Structures are given as structure tokens and as C-alpha cells.
Amino acid sequence: MITQKQIGMVQRALQEQGLFVTSGKEQPNLMSTHWGSVGYFFNKWIFVLPVRNNKLSHEIIEKTQEFAVSVPYKDLRNTITKADITSGREGNKFVALHLHPLKCKSINSYVVGDCGLHLECKVIHTSNIARNNISEEINEQLYINKDYHTMYYGEILSVYETE
């Protein structure tokens, strides 16, 4: 399903510039992430996606139980940074960021057409990070505002490339 080369592309993008994550169909939401992982869990290829509990994407993924990951082939760091600070609650982020949505093949959402590699995922497990199940060091470094993440384990249903 997903090749070692594609896993390497995901990992490099996470380290170098980040990824786009989309969810929802009627008003598709877009977020960026610099955290995540591709791995083999539950005898399936999985993308593990952390989403802060106060984000619109969290609300949508909780409702739909699916999301898509789009990996930029070109340098989209500035757009990814803008996606970090723009709220989907205030309008359509695709329009605001001049990005082009493409309909997903396996889930009811969209991918970012401006990217080259896409993973469409169905949530099969969630895990909530909370103060009582994370180290004090990480809690103090990353959760000063108590804005914890939900970890979504998404089975990768489709992997494909676009131009």
C-alpha cells in the first residue's frame, strides 16, 4: 500500500516543513502539522495524527472519523505557517491560503491539490493525552496552557500522487 520511499517523503516533510491535514466535506477544514508518524499497527498501515482538542479539525475528525494528509513536493513552508495561524472557524482556509481542494478517492473529504502525495485515512483508534498520562517534562514544555492532543490512529485507505 505505502512504499518505503513514500514513508521517507512523509518523514522528511514533517521534519523540514510540515504537512497539510484536511477533514470534512461540506466546509472542508485544513490544518498543518509538524508532528505525526507512519507505522504498522493493528496489522495495518497507520498514520498517527495528533490534534489539539480545541481545534476545529478535532471537532470534525471526531464527527467524521476520517482525515487526509497531503505532503508537499515543493516548498510550501510559508503557506504551512499561515495555515498554523489561520482559523477554519473564521472562513474557508483553502480560499484564504490560495490552495486547491481535490475530492478524495476513499473518504468524504478533500486533499490539497497543490501537494504531490496524499494519504486518506479512516480513524480506527484514538488516544487522549492528559496530564496524568504524560511525563512532567513534556507537560511543562508543551502543555503549559493545558491544550492537550488527541492521537488519531488512521488506517491508510488510499495512497496516491498528483502533479
Side-chain angles (χ1 to χ4, degrees):
M1 170 159 263
I2 188 167
T3 67
Q4 290 299 315
K5 180 181 176 187
Q6 291 167 328
I7 293 169
M9 291 175 181
V10 172
Q11 291 171 329
R12 258 188 316 285
L14 280 166
Q15 293 170 357
E16 294 174 5
Q17 68 176 317
L19 308 170
F20 290 106
V21 176
T22 50
S23 56
K25 184 175 181 182
E26 290 79 31
Q27 173 76 22
N29 192 51
L30 173 68
M31 66 174 259
S32 61
T33 189
H34 303 273
W35 294 0
S37 180
V38 176
Y40 197 71
F41 299 92
F42 315 116
N43 296 322
K44 301 170 185 297
W45 282 104
I46 301 291
F47 187 88
V48 181
L49 172 68
V51 181
R52 290 197 189 268
N53 296 343
N54 61 351
K55 298 290 186 181
L56 178 59
S57 292
H58 183 275
E59 184 179 312
I60 294 171
I61 294 169
E62 282 292 309
K63 180 179 164 187
T64 64
Q65 294 294 292
E66 54 191 24
F67 62 88
V69 176
S70 293
V71 181
Y73 279 0
K74 58 187 175 187
D75 187 351
L76 291 176
R77 272 178 262 231
N78 291 336
T79 308
I80 288 170
T81 299
K82 289 176 188 173
D84 276 341
I85 60 173
T86 305
S87 173
R89 295 184 197 281
E90 297 169 8
N92 187 321
K93 287 171 81 169
F94 278 100
V95 173
L97 299 171
H98 308 289
L99 295 171
H100 304 90
L102 294 176
K103 186 159 176 18
C104 287
K105 297 179 178 185
S106 300
I107 64 172
N108 288 317
S109 192
Y110 296 85
V111 293
V112 178
D114 308 77
C115 294
L117 176 63
H118 310 282
L119 314 176
E120 296 180 12
C121 303
K122 177 181 122 184
V123 175
I124 61 170
H125 177 69
T126 59
S127 177
N128 292 306
I129 295 177
R131 186 179 192 333
N132 63 348
N133 66 4
I134 196 161
S135 77
E136 194 60 37
E137 176 187 0
I138 292 173
N139 195 52
E140 289 174 5
Q141 286 178 345
L142 300 174
Y143 297 108
I144 295 168
N145 297 323
K146 309 297 183 237
D147 53 346
Y148 295 101
H149 287 89
T150 296
M151 305 296 285
Y152 292 103
Y153 291 70
E155 177 184 0
I156 301 171
L157 301 177
S158 294
V159 179
Y160 54 95
E161 297 183 49
T162 56
E163 293 182 18

